[in-house]
């Protein structure tokens, strides 16, 4: 089995659906270009039936993106399909992504349709999409709460109708990792024509398990992961692209898979999204949060400054950050303070360093984090109050 994992980015579609994350056309075009630079295989550009703006944006993205596949989402309705097909008509690599719910709860309360009706709509939609576009993805919405036998039946039928990717969403973020793994394994074993399609996963993060579920799915045969930058998306979000990719990268000893993502573009992509939406990333967010590579505890700082491998499982440079962050706070030690001061151009004697250290710990008690400008002002005040010029603290660079 091929070990390459396709990264399907849905920041511009599922991500944008979350409150406060809507983007206008120029912003989406900018982000789409960055996603292409990031190296994602597929950019889901939008849901063209949702609005004229969405339609126009998907169309423009289709025109400017050359390397990544550009996908348009649609329900299985004829009008939706036509709109999606028209939106990606100029794309170098277009994909139609059509979906319908398959769980009994959705059939009963949302669609008010029988399984037979849903199966018929799915097959018809895929056949129609296929007659306009070679690359067709079918999603069984709420798959993780659907009957696996019905899923097997519908996926078999849509692959026969021309689907090249079948997606198994955990739409409501309900699945547990071993349960989701079992579902993917069952589908992989029981769909007779599965060799003609790629299994995709699309996990929501309601229980904080989206990344774990996606990785378990890969271990059981999935070869496409749907995810978003900074993990944005409906409710608690989607699987976070940076976490999925860096888990695969960092644990190659256990998961021997590749992605086409240029990991050095992860941090710039995250920052661009935050800047466009005006929504910052939580500081402790894995990979891209402000504190992801920050060290405050003295013991950690000492270790990291001697050898980053002591407390870092990946380098900040590998995700596009220029360096780790030594944060001076009340837990910091003299060693880290000395390095920080050297970075700022101050090369102090042991005695002077000790004086600064005492002042810094006092200040840290009051304001938690001591910023660079605080250090500079501590030193300049000490220089001003020192009577003897020979005791002035040396500023090296
Ligand atoms: O969560 C979901 O089920 C979706 C589908 C449209 C793929 O976003
Ligand atoms: Zn979703």
């Amino acid at each position: 089995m091929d070990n390459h994992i396709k990264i399907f980015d849905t920041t511009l579609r599922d991500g944008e659906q979350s409150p406060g994350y809507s983007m206008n056309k120029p912003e989406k075009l900018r982000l789409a270009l960055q996603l292409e630079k990031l190296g994602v295989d597929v950019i889901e550009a939008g849901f063209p039936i949702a609005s004229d703006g969405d339609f126009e944006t998907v169309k423009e993205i289709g025109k400017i993106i050359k390397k990544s596949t550009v996908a348009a989402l649609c329900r299985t309705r004829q009008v939706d399909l036509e709109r999606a097909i028209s939106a990606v008509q100029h794309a170098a690599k277009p994909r139609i992504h059509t979906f319908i719910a398959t769980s009994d709860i959705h059939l009963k309360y949302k669609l008010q349709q029988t399984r037979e009706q849903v199966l018929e709509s799915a097959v018809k939609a895929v056949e129609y999409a296929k007659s306009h576009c070679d690359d067709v993805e079918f999603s069984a919405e709420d798959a993780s709460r659907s009957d696996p036998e019905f899923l097997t039946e519908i996926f078999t039928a849509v692959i026969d109708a021309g689907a090249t990717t079948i997606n198994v969403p955990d739409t409501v973020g309900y699945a547990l990792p071993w349960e989701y793994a079992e579902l993917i394994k069952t589908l992989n074993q029981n769909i007779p024509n599965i060799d003609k399609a790629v299994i995709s996963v699309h996990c929501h993060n309601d229980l904080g398990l989206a990344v774990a579920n996606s990785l378990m799915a890969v271990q059981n045969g999935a070869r496409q992961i749907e995810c978003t930058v900074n993990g944005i998306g409906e409710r608690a979000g989607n699987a976070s692209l940076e976490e999925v990719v860096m888990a695969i990268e960092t644990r190659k000893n256990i998961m021997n898979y590749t992605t086409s993502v240029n990991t050095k573009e992860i941090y710039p992509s995250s920052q661009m999204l935050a800047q466009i939406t005006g929504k910052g990333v939580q500081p402790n967010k894995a990979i891209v949060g402000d504190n992801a590579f920050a060290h405050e505890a003295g013991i950690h700082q000492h270790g990291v400054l001697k050898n980053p491998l002591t407390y870092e499982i990946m380098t900040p440079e590998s995700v596009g950050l220029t360096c780790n962050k030594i944060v001076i706070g009340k837990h910091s030690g003299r060693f880290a303070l000395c390095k920080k001061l050297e970075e700022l151009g101050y090369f102090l004697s042991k005695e002077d360093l000790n004086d600064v250290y005492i002042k810094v710990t006092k200040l840290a008690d009051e304001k938690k984090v001591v910023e660079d400008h605080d250090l500079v002002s501590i030193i300049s005040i000490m220089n001003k109050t020192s009577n003897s010029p020979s005791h002035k603290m040396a500023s090296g660079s």
Side-chain angles (χ1 to χ4, degrees):
M1 198 172 200
D2 185 8
N3 277 358
H4 186 75
I5 309 301
K6 285 191 187 196
I7 298 297
F8 175 115
D9 180 276
T10 183
T11 309
L12 295 171
R13 200 279 298 168
D14 214 322
E16 207 230 0
Q17 273 171 230
S18 50
Y21 283 94
S22 65
M23 293 170 246
N24 62 30
K25 186 165 149 188
E27 290 167 342
K28 283 190 176 177
L29 296 183
R30 215 174 118 213
L31 195 57
L33 288 169
Q34 177 60 32
L35 291 171
E36 183 170 48
K37 202 166 163 199
L38 178 63
V40 304
D41 299 275
V42 185
I43 297 172
E44 185 160 61
F47 191 15
I49 195 75
S51 70
D52 289 345
D54 241 32
F55 173 80
E56 288 303 329
T57 305
V58 176
K59 200 166 169 183
E60 279 308 305
I61 291 175
K63 287 182 187 163
I64 60 168
I65 297 298
K66 299 290 167 235
K67 285 191 247 150
S68 311
T69 294
V70 174
L73 183 71
C74 54
R75 289 166 296 189
T76 53
R77 297 176 188 183
Q78 185 66 18
V79 274
D80 276 44
L81 285 154
E82 282 167 11
R83 203 78 173 135
I85 290 164
S86 165
V88 291
Q89 64 181 318
H90 302 295
K93 297 182 190 171
R95 172 179 295 189
I96 300 299
H97 178 193
T98 186
F99 74 98
I100 191 164
T102 49
S103 63
D104 289 339
I105 190 163
H106 277 235
L107 264 61
K108 184 169 175 193
Y109 295 103
K110 188 179 83 173
L111 299 174
Q112 282 147 355
Q113 285 185 27
T114 62
R115 289 186 181 184
E116 291 68 33
Q117 286 169 315
V118 165
L119 189 123
E120 195 190 329
S121 300
V123 169
K124 264 194 177 160
V126 170
E127 276 172 354
Y128 183 74
K130 190 73 177 183
S131 66
H132 291 83
C133 183
D134 271 348
D135 187 344
V136 178
E137 172 167 339
F138 170 76
S139 285
E141 192 190 9
D142 205 18
S144 57
R145 294 193 300 170
S146 303
D147 173 5
E149 276 185 28
F150 181 49
L151 283 179
T152 305
E153 190 186 350
I154 198 164
F155 283 139
T156 306
V158 294
I159 295 171
D160 273 344
T164 40
T165 303
I166 53 146
N167 187 29
V168 190
D170 182 23
T171 302
V172 290
Y174 178 70
L176 298 176
W178 52 93
E179 194 184 15
Y180 196 57
E182 195 55 38
L183 175 62
I184 301 299
K185 190 174 169 188
T186 303
L187 294 172
N188 201 15
Q189 283 172 351
N190 295 346
I191 298 172
N193 48 3
I194 197 62
D195 57 310
K196 298 193 179 67
V198 169
I199 300 180
S200 171
V201 288
H202 175 113
C203 298
H204 279 270
N205 207 29
D206 300 67
L207 294 174
L209 293 169
V211 171
N213 284 341
S214 304
L215 296 176
M216 288 301 282
V218 162
Q219 294 280 58
N220 286 278
R223 287 296 176 268
Q224 174 176 285
I225 298 179
E226 305 198 354
C227 47
T228 57
V229 174
N230 296 346
I232 68 169
E234 283 277 4
R235 304 179 311 280
N238 287 67
S240 137
L241 180 148
E242 55 277 6
E243 292 174 27
V244 160
V245 170
M246 289 315 289
I248 292 173
E249 277 291 314
T250 309
R251 299 309 310 275
K252 276 213 150 52
N253 57 330
I254 292 197
M255 293 183 291
N256 184 25
Y257 305 112
T258 56
T259 74
S260 52
V261 168
N262 173 3
T263 61
K264 290 204 160 73
E265 291 298 330
I266 284 180
Y267 192 69
S269 307
S270 162
Q271 287 293 298
M272 184 184 285
L273 177 64
Q275 188 261 321
I276 286 175
T277 57
K279 296 250 178 214
V281 178
Q282 77 198 56
N284 63 326
K285 167 81 178 64
I287 320 293
V288 292
D290 260 6
N291 292 350
F293 294 94
H295 305 278
E296 193 195 306
I299 297 168
H300 290 210
Q301 289 177 335
H302 195 257
V304 166
L305 289 165
K306 292 267 179 194
N307 184 341
L309 288 177
T310 50
Y311 285 100
E312 284 179 356
I313 57 168
M314 63 195 115
T315 65
E317 291 81 6
S318 67
V319 298
L321 257 162
T322 42
C323 60
N324 61 24
K325 256 195 355 208
I326 294 295
V327 177
I328 301 299
K330 69 175 172 188
H331 305 111
S332 305
R334 282 176 184 75
F335 186 73
L337 178 63
C338 175
K339 290 280 168 207
K340 184 74 177 178
L341 291 170
E342 283 177 9
E343 267 176 33
L344 295 172
Y346 296 102
F347 297 85
L348 309 189
S349 66
K350 216 171 160 189
E351 196 183 49
D352 286 340
L353 179 66
N354 204 39
D355 286 349
V356 176
Y357 179 74
I358 291 165
K359 292 198 161 42
V360 163
T361 41
K362 223 173 174 182
L363 183 63
D365 256 343
E366 288 158 24
K367 64 171 298 207
K368 294 193 177 115
V369 170
V370 178
E371 316 272 357
D372 291 359
H373 64 85
D374 295 321
L375 295 174
V376 173
S377 74
I378 287 174
I379 290 182
S380 69
I381 291 167
M382 285 172 74
N383 271 337
K384 272 187 208 143
T385 52
S386 159
N387 297 331
S388 152
S390 65
H391 275 97
K392 291 252 186 290
M393 291 173 199
S395 166
S397 51

